[in-house]
Amino acid sequence: MHKLEQLYEGKAKKVYATEDPDIVIVSYKDDATAFDGLKKGIIQGKGAVNNRMTNFLMKKLAEHGIPTHYVHELNERETAVRKVQIVPLEVIVRNISAGHFASRYGVEEGLVFDDPVVEFSYKNDDLHDPLLNDDHAVALKLATREEIMQIRNYALQINEVLKTILLAAGVTLVDFKLEFGRTADGTLVLADEISPDTCRFWDSKTGKKLDKDRFRRDLGNVEGAYEEMGRRLLLG
Ligand code: 5GP
């Protein structure tokens, strides 16, 4: 498989065409941004951890019947994935209050929910990814009602699988963001990444943050947190 022209460059990844129209190559960068791109930095080694962790978790999810865009890991930073049209929804699942949930509703971080909370944001940087509900998403034609129901079911199943894998590595899954895409025939598949950039991971014993909040909140040892998550998950 050959890397042809660059199709897209996002904040943390680049996407390249291949000779197969249904396959693209994702290349993970060390660049980090937060707060709508206002805060910028480099997290050395992040791209490799995020690439390998995403692939590891997507393979596990596939074993549990979740369709994903994953095809084949090419090297440390690059992976062949199915070409999809991204559904412009950020699908967030929360098990414990943190981040925008805590600030939006005026509660402390660390409240453990009886049931997971699924929420959707409109993936739109200019509008700062506003929160929306199913009716808004259907009205805006971002997804059909059936797709939204399927996305919600997948998100809850993914939460259960990820929680179990992470717990075995001594990590509590606080919350995370997923993105889904449609393949050429309209099949909904999990896309994007599952990494410390897109999830909140807290050490199960100490509560230490092992994710991008270390960068967002200037907590120090950012690289160390990514390396530690890589060690815990990928080296067993
Ligand atoms: P919050 O809404 O509290 O900021 O984020 C909830 C979860 O979704 C966190 O795990 C966070 O990392 C992830 N998340 C939400 N929006 C984004 C985004 O635009 N980019 C990334 N990388 N993660 C996001």
Side-chain angles (χ1 to χ4, degrees), residues 21-87:
D22 294 324
I23 305 279
V24 294
I25 293 174
V26 178
S27 179
Y28 287 72
K29 306 192 284 185
D30 284 347
D31 302 39
T33 64
F35 312 118
D36 282 334
L38 285 178
K39 185 179 169 101
K40 288 191 173 71
I42 300 279
I43 303 175
Q44 292 290 344
K46 170 172 91 78
V49 170
N50 288 7
N51 180 42
R52 293 177 55 224
M53 189 183 296
T54 296
N55 295 340
F56 170 79
L57 293 173
M58 286 212 182
K59 282 189 264 185
K60 294 277 184 201
L61 289 167
E63 287 168 17
H64 288 82
I66 306 286
T68 82
H69 73 167
Y70 174 80
V71 176
H72 179 60
E73 187 168 290
L74 298 170
N75 57 52
E76 233 196 4
R77 279 175 191 272
E78 294 181 323
T79 296
V81 301
R82 293 164 79 184
K83 186 170 187 174
V84 295
Q85 174 201 40
I86 291 285
V87 177

Side-chain angles (χ1 to χ4, degrees), residues 58 61-68 153-155 157-158 161 180 190:
M58 286 212 182
L61 289 167
E63 287 168 17
H64 288 82
I66 306 286
T68 82
N153 287 337
Y154 282 149
Q157 284 178 51
I158 291 167
V161 175
F180 291 83
L190 178 65

Side-chain angles (χ1 to χ4, degrees), residues 11-12 33 36 90-94 98-104 109 119 121 123 125 129 173-179 192-193 195-201 211-213 216-217:
K11 286 174 262 189
T33 64
D36 282 334
E90 297 201 334
V91 181
I92 294 171
V93 182
R94 302 180 187 272
H100 281 107
F101 186 96
S103 58
R104 189 184 305 129
E109 294 205 320
E119 72 187 35
S121 293
K123 194 172 145 60
D125 282 344
D129 300 340
L173 179 61
V174 175
D175 57 28
F176 56 99
K177 186 258 303 180
L178 302 171
E179 293 185 23
D192 197 48
E193 64 180 285
S195 72
D197 271 15
T198 61
C199 305
R200 286 196 171 92
F201 298 133
D211 57 58
K212 194 175 162 189
D213 271 352
R216 296 187 186 101
R217 302 180 188 187

